[in-house]
Amino acid sequence: MAEAIKGSVILKSVPNRETEYRVSAHLAGIYREVPADRIVALVSRTKPLTVVKGIPETNGKRLARELTGLGAVAFFLQDLGSVNRH
């Protein structure tokens, strides 16, 4: 069985308030257990922001694309120890 590549999704920048709102709303929909005001505060004040750690590559790249599509600068960063073993 192959071991999945894992990594983190990093939110590098959010260019304006409208994008902050869209990114915060999107993340609040994903992370329902985190209060929305906490997400808004993190997105507006913390750059770079590690959105999630230990996420499988496919899911991480999808989330980074979604955030980028909302106007943010985001990317998937592979964990150094994460390799695809066969």
Side-chain angles (χ1 to χ4, degrees):
M1 180 178 229
E3 183 179 321
I5 295 173
K6 294 190 177 191
S8 300
V9 175
I10 309 297
L11 180 62
K12 185 174 179 183
S13 66
V14 181
N16 55 50
R17 295 258 183 216
E18 182 180 333
T19 303
E20 280 180 9
Y21 174 78
R22 289 193 308 252
V23 167
S24 296
H26 186 69
L27 293 175
I30 295 170
Y31 300 106
R32 293 184 182 118
E33 69 280 358
V34 180
D37 59 335
R38 174 87 172 123
I39 291 174
V40 170
L42 287 169
V43 169
S44 66
R45 291 190 291 225
T46 309
K47 306 295 178 314
L49 172 65
T50 301
V51 177
V52 63
K53 293 180 182 179
I55 190 169
E57 181 180 29
T58 304
N59 296 346
K61 285 183 175 181
R62 184 180 72 235
L63 177 56
R65 273 194 312 273
E66 290 169 356
L67 296 175
T68 300
L70 294 171
V73 177
F75 57 92
F76 174 79
L77 181 63
Q78 180 180 333
D79 290 342
L80 291 177
S82 182
V83 293
N84 194 6
R85 297 182 184 152
H86 298 284

